[in-house]
Amino acid sequence: MKLLYNIHIQKVGDQYLGITTGDDAAAIPGILRFNETGATIVRLLRNDISRDDLLTTLQQEYDAPLPLLSQCLDDLLSYLQQSHLLTISE
Amino acid sequence: MTKQEQNIFFSVIRSAIWQRDIVLPQEQFSWKTIIDALQSHGVLAFVADSIMSLPHHLLPPPDLQERIMKTVAGIVRAHYRVNKVICEVFELLEREGFKPVLLKGQGLSQQYPDRFVRAVGDIDIFIGRERFWEACDIVSRYCGGDGAEREEDLTIHWSAFKGDIDIEVHQVAADTAIPSIKDEYNRWAEQQLLSSCSYVTINGRSIRVPDRQTNSIYVFEHLLKHIRVEGIGIRQFIDWLMILRSDALDTSPFSNPDTLNTAPLSSTLDTTPLSRFHILDAWQVLGGILVWQLGFPQDAFPCWNEHKARHSQGRNLQYIIDAGNLGHDTAEAKGYYHQPPSLKRNISALRYYWHHIQFEYHLFPYDTISKTRKRILKKL
């Protein structure tokens, strides 16, 4: 799976803004808001990556229980999919 | 802004420059006034992370937080748009054998710890006099035109718009704050820009920018031009600081000023051009703002002169903060222009021009004396 648009992540305080840029700015003119983990996932999704690989990378980066990370990841992937921001390759 | 709001304004900016905590007073203050001032000085996105990192009970009201976020998003998007145009124009020019140099704006963004938060302006490209119109033709066609219309009396740059982005092609580096040194300054700048450059990477492409030595003088001269003629924002002082800091820093741009290694700066920055172009006084006066308001370490500031730096404070600092442009837009000056002719208006005008001349004298003593002498002789 991979992001459909170029999304720049900008840290502002404890929020991470997701900002579509370039030709994609018109597609989503608003601002997406993520926490730190969400921002990490969005950065990873700039390249084609599987859910399992995402989870493995998150496990290496964050000292959190696996079920919590897994839940976090699924919530965000579901949000991105519902917002038509994600493309899932076969 | 009140004195207290001014202190908060600079504390917020210092926090963004040096990664320090913002110092807020116990008393009530208006976040709106501070944020309005930060925006009008072109630094709201630059300080956004610092403000939004405050403890929750100290954060600005939600509507102002939203304004900060929208400003950041707008500036980030503008960076991508402008960077794309820079790369495309440089590609076209370099393909035709030009060696363009990116001046000011986006070249300076690269000196910032986070290059996406510096306010975005136009694109300034230095070409020089040789094959100048040929370069303008290329840019004109890139912008959808049929070629550049020759302007015989063109003195500095030719410009065209790609959408809402202004591209300025320079045949000489700059119009100077002191008109009498313009030709000599531009000969020096051209020689520097064509012989010694640095590179920054934008969208994976190497882009030529002035080397730090040249840039420190060039950006300062540009600041002076703004202070004297066009109006100034604190953002321009931060640009100047970032160049001096990047030169002074040993390694990381996030270093604490207390740990700055001052040796590289004193050894590498050649301050001869400051005297040669009669801008050493202005450098020493305005250095006071860098040191006292923006937190640049006094020991690391080249040619520091405390006596002269004091002239940047008090009323002169107020001029710069309130309106820039030597107070042309201050209530005092507006009072003069908007009031019907009266004794009060004339007193207001006299006070304003007296302070204006005093500040100008401290910044440009040589030029102010010579200009005043010429004016008097003309009247006689």
Side-chain angles (χ1 to χ4, degrees):
Chain A
M1 64 186 93
K2 193 182 169 188
L3 284 174
L4 268 172
Y5 303 104
N6 292 319
I7 298 179
H8 173 98
I9 295 291
Q10 186 70 36
K11 178 186 174 295
V12 184
D14 58 4
Q15 295 185 49
Y16 290 77
L17 307 184
I19 305 162
T20 46
T21 61
D23 297 337
D24 298 334
I28 305 171
I31 307 169
L32 304 161
R33 288 159 204 252
F34 304 104
N35 60 17
E36 192 189 339
T37 323
T40 306
I41 295 169
V42 169
R43 283 193 191 105
L44 291 167
L45 282 166
R46 284 173 186 157
N47 299 309
D48 206 358
I49 187 167
S50 71
R51 183 193 174 278
D52 289 347
D53 287 346
L54 272 173
L55 194 56
T56 310
T57 313
L58 289 177
Q59 262 184 293
Q60 287 163 357
E61 207 151 312
Y62 295 99
D63 186 20
L66 183 62
L68 182 67
L69 283 176
S70 178
Q71 183 64 48
C72 251
L73 177 61
D74 289 337
D75 286 350
L76 184 67
L77 291 178
S78 155
Y79 164 75
L80 293 173
Q81 223 172 333
Q82 280 166 18
S83 310
H84 307 291
L85 295 168
L86 204 59
T87 174
I88 298 173
S89 49
E90 294 302 314
Chain B
M1 272 201 293
T2 62
K3 184 79 184 159
Q4 185 204 48
E5 286 162 345
Q6 207 181 97
N7 289 339
I8 300 169
F9 173 81
F10 282 116
S11 174
V12 167
I13 294 173
R14 280 194 299 274
S15 158
I17 297 173
W18 305 106
Q19 313 291 299
R20 289 176 184 162
D21 289 339
I22 297 174
V23 180
L24 293 177
Q26 297 290 327
E27 303 84 47
Q28 288 282 317
F29 65 93
S30 158
W31 261 120
K32 188 177 178 309
T33 308
I34 310 291
I35 286 173
D36 282 347
L38 290 165
Q39 189 141 40
S40 75
H41 279 271
V43 292
L44 185 55
F46 175 64
V47 301
D49 187 39
S50 298
I51 293 179
M52 295 303 295
S53 297
L54 281 165
H56 279 258
H57 67 284
L58 297 175
L59 286 172
D63 59 321
L64 293 176
Q65 290 185 34
E66 200 52 33
R67 186 169 142 198
I68 293 172
M69 299 302 191
K70 282 182 178 164
T71 302
V72 171
I75 286 180
V76 167
R77 286 195 173 109
H79 271 278
Y80 276 87
R81 284 204 315 274
V82 170
N83 286 347
K84 182 170 177 264
V85 171
I86 289 172
C87 290
E88 288 171 352
V89 171
F90 270 65
E91 162 94 47
L92 291 172
L93 290 170
E94 285 172 359
R95 205 188 291 160
E96 294 302 321
F98 289 96
K99 287 187 173 174
V101 183
L102 182 64
L103 302 172
K104 302 182 274 185
Q106 292 307 89
L108 288 173
S109 296
Q110 316 298 315
Q111 307 284 355
Y112 279 60
D114 180 351
R115 65 200 161 107
F116 286 102
V117 293
R118 182 188 177 275
V120 181
D122 47 19
I123 299 172
D124 292 86
I125 302 171
F126 179 80
I127 292 291
R129 291 176 199 273
E130 204 179 323
R131 297 176 69 203
F132 171 72
W133 287 109
E134 204 186 317
C136 295
D137 282 338
I138 292 171
V139 175
S140 167
R141 278 191 283 274
Y142 169 75
C143 293
D146 299 327
E149 202 170 302
R150 273 43 176 176
E151 298 169 36
E152 292 304 319
D153 54 351
L154 190 83
T155 51
I156 309 294
H157 58 69
W158 172 91
S159 72
F161 279 86
K162 176 75 173 172
D164 60 346
I165 300 166
D166 185 12
I167 307 172
E168 296 184 348
V169 184
H170 285 244
Q171 62 174 344
V172 298
D175 204 0
T176 48
I178 302 174
S180 58
I181 56 115
K182 187 178 151 189
D183 291 343
E184 193 189 353
Y185 173 81
N186 277 306
R187 272 195 297 276
W188 169 82
E190 179 163 359
Q191 193 191 4
Q192 296 293 116
L193 292 170
L194 295 179
S195 63
S196 159
C197 272
S198 298
Y199 288 87
V200 293
T201 305
I202 296 178
N203 293 356
R205 184 180 184 86
S206 277
I207 301 285
R208 287 162 69 93
V209 293
D211 64 39
R212 284 173 181 167
Q213 159 70 39
T214 309
N215 225 6
S216 62
I217 311 289
Y218 180 75
V219 167
F220 179 68
E221 166 56 48
H222 183 65
L223 183 155
L224 290 181
K225 172 74 183 163
H226 270 271
I227 216 169
R228 201 165 198 190
V229 182
E230 296 162 354
I232 193 160
I234 292 297
R235 198 256 297 150
Q236 283 153 314
F237 284 92
I238 299 175
D239 283 346
W240 179 29
L241 182 146
M242 288 296 172
I243 293 172
L244 294 181
R245 186 174 78 160
S246 63
D247 216 0
L249 281 174
D250 214 5
T251 50
S252 160
F254 296 101
S255 296
N256 185 298
D258 302 335
T259 61
L260 273 180
N261 180 354
T262 60
L265 183 65
S266 11
S267 60
T268 59
L269 186 72
D270 173 16
T271 52
T272 322
L274 298 174
S275 320
R276 184 174 158 196
F277 303 124
H278 310 297
I279 52 175
L280 179 59
D281 293 282
W283 177 284
Q284 290 172 323
V285 170
L286 297 173
I289 292 177
L290 254 62
V291 170
W292 291 319
Q293 270 69 46
L294 302 183
F296 196 91
Q298 187 176 308
D299 296 343
F301 185 80
C303 306
W304 173 250
N305 180 320
E306 187 161 337
H307 173 70
K308 288 193 177 164
R310 291 204 180 283
H311 297 302
S312 70
Q313 302 298 295
R315 200 179 170 105
N316 294 336
L317 176 65
Q318 196 67 45
Y319 271 147
I320 290 170
I321 294 170
D322 283 352
N325 204 11
L326 286 178
H328 279 296
D329 296 328
T330 57
E332 203 174 359
K334 275 181 188 157
Y336 170 71
Y337 292 116
H338 296 152
Q339 280 170 23
S342 66
L343 180 65
K344 193 179 161 196
R345 189 181 99 152
N346 290 342
I347 292 171
S348 165
L350 276 175
R351 280 176 55 196
Y352 164 65
Y353 282 114
W354 175 241
H355 285 290
H356 181 100
I357 288 167
Q358 274 188 315
F359 192 24
E360 282 241 332
Y361 172 73
H362 291 306
L363 293 174
F364 315 103
Y366 171 84
D367 189 55
T368 309
I369 291 170
S370 110
K371 214 178 337 179
T372 311
R373 197 184 59 212
K374 274 182 198 159
R375 275 182 189 157
I376 292 170
L377 288 173
K378 206 175 164 188
K379 291 275 179 201
L380 290 175

